Amino acid sequence: MKIFNSIKEMQVFSLSSKRDGKKVAVVPTMGFLHEGHMSLIDIAKKEADIVVVTIFVNPTQFGPNEDFSRYPRDFERDSRLCHERGTDAIFAPEASEMYPTGASTWITEDSLSKGLCGKSRPLHFRGVTTVVAKLFNAVLPDLAVFGQKDAQQLAVIKRMVRDLNFPVKIIAGPIVREADGLAMSSRNKYLSPDERKNALSISSALREAGKKIFGDSAGLRDFVSSKISSNGGRVDYVEVVDAETLEPDCNFERPLLIAVAAYFGTTRLIDNTII
Ligand code: PAF
């Protein structure tokens, strides 16, 4: 398995793989890998000949009071896991490689990124779209695999790819859960044992909501919200939106996304389900 820190070396490797007729897939990550990421690598391996995992904790998608500096990092462990799972290359640039001094160009998606997480994290998706575009330009992939857990991120990236004509196919990987239902996330590491137990209310509320019949989306939202609050969670949002357009006031004939963000202690968790 190769490890590249420079964009130039990454591009040379990808271009030469493509010249040899190989299809290149990228799995963008911020590291501290878990089984959710591994499942994305498995999907990439099925779809392409060469799998590149990017590991970069992207500073521009964190707000000033968010967890950039304490975001968990363990490159040794990540590279071992990637190697064991059959990854061909890791791209792990320094921030100075990705953002040269004076960098002043951004990609903003102006519609899908405004609601849900965009309300409390106003610059988050600008950081995500900008870094994903830059990772695409470094890895030059034919396809990219992103997790459905970050449903809004996935929708925003699909929109960016469509609007800016990136020649990259976007594939969604299903949410991977712990045995008790908690959606896997690198941030689960922050939870105390009690917070972790209480955080199960998110997945159980979503599961129950998916099985019940509600007269309208407000009833559904209240149901999920009160389950989480009564277990000590601080709800940032519970939204019911069109699974594709992320528009509220959705048509109950089309697939709906129930999306949640809630704090347990200081840890902000997200989860969702499509019904
Ligand atoms: O989902 C993530 O881990 C990040 O938002 C991504 C897509 C790697 C961009 O930094």
Side-chain angles (χ1 to χ4, degrees), residues 26-179:
V26 68
V27 179
T29 81
M30 297 206 300
F32 211 72
L33 304 177
H34 50 67
E35 215 28 61
H37 297 112
M38 296 298 121
S39 72
L40 304 181
I41 296 175
D42 293 344
I43 294 172
K45 279 186 72 68
K46 285 207 190 93
E47 298 282 335
D49 308 297
I50 299 286
V51 175
V52 179
V53 174
T54 69
I55 299 181
F56 178 61
V57 185
N58 172 36
T60 66
Q61 68 189 74
F62 290 79
N65 299 317
E66 293 180 358
D67 56 343
F68 172 66
S69 53
R70 70 178 187 123
Y71 194 85
R73 294 159 169 90
D74 190 342
F75 186 76
E76 293 296 303
R77 179 176 161 277
D78 288 347
S79 46
R80 181 171 43 77
L81 290 174
C82 285
H83 179 60
E84 286 168 6
R85 212 63 168 223
T87 300
D88 298 281
I90 290 179
F91 176 54
E94 292 293 332
S96 55
E97 177 73 358
M98 291 298 277
Y99 296 105
T101 310
S104 55
T105 306
W106 299 98
I107 293 182
T108 50
E109 190 288 323
D110 258 347
S111 171
L112 303 175
S113 61
K114 297 293 178 208
L116 305 176
C117 291
K119 282 191 189 148
S120 55
R121 307 185 74 194
L123 292 178
H124 171 69
F125 288 109
R126 181 184 82 157
V128 170
T129 43
T130 302
V131 83
V132 168
K134 289 168 73 65
L135 292 170
F136 285 177
N137 283 338
V139 179
L140 306 170
D142 297 290
L143 63 99
V145 191
F146 292 90
Q148 172 65 35
K149 184 170 85 71
D150 296 290
Q152 186 178 16
Q153 167 171 285
L154 181 63
V156 169
I157 289 168
K158 280 186 178 162
R159 180 64 62 88
M160 173 188 83
V161 162
R162 186 200 75 173
D163 290 354
L164 299 184
N165 314 106
F166 278 96
V168 181
K169 179 178 171 193
I170 303 298
I171 298 179
I175 298 178
V176 178
R177 298 182 181 281
E178 304 285 357

